[in-house]
Amino acid sequence: MDTDQTASAKAAADRVLELEAELEAAGEAKVDGAPLERARAALHRWVDEMTGVVVSPALGRVTLIHPNGRFSTISSPELPFTMTLPDKNRSS
């Protein structure tokens, strides 16, 4: 990650931590180095183990279905659109 990306990531992480502190909920940020790599590896394993996914662009949400039947949601204005491919079988 270049210096500008690292600075932007740290600024974004600081904003999230400040919001969590207002809710009296602790958080921790990992924006570079080995801690970020460990977090990225854990996230990849978590995603790789999913057994299904529901993509809801209109809601800005992706729901991952896990092997135990539970689910986790990711709220994002961009991720659902990134995951949605045009349906070639759907008529316009």
Side-chain angles (χ1 to χ4, degrees), residues 19-87:
L19 291 171
E20 290 178 353
E22 288 178 18
L23 298 172
E24 297 181 5
E28 60 181 63
K30 295 166 176 47
V31 297
D32 59 6
L36 176 60
E37 292 306 316
R38 282 192 297 277
R40 187 175 283 142
L43 182 59
H44 282 281
R45 278 191 309 277
W46 181 70
V47 169
D48 288 342
E49 292 172 357
M50 72 178 181
T51 58
V53 63
V54 179
V55 180
S56 306
L59 298 176
R61 181 172 59 209
V62 173
T63 303
L64 304 181
I65 302 167
H66 303 290
N68 62 5
R70 293 189 175 208
F71 59 88
S72 301
T73 58
I74 302 169
S75 296
S76 168
E78 297 173 11
L79 182 59
F81 290 99
T82 301
M83 294 178 68
T84 304
L85 297 175
D87 185 352

Side-chain angles (χ1 to χ4, degrees), residues 1-13 15 31-32:
M1 197 179 312
D2 69 26
T3 307
D4 289 339
Q5 287 177 321
T6 300
S8 294
K10 286 182 180 179
R15 283 193 301 276
V31 297
D32 59 6

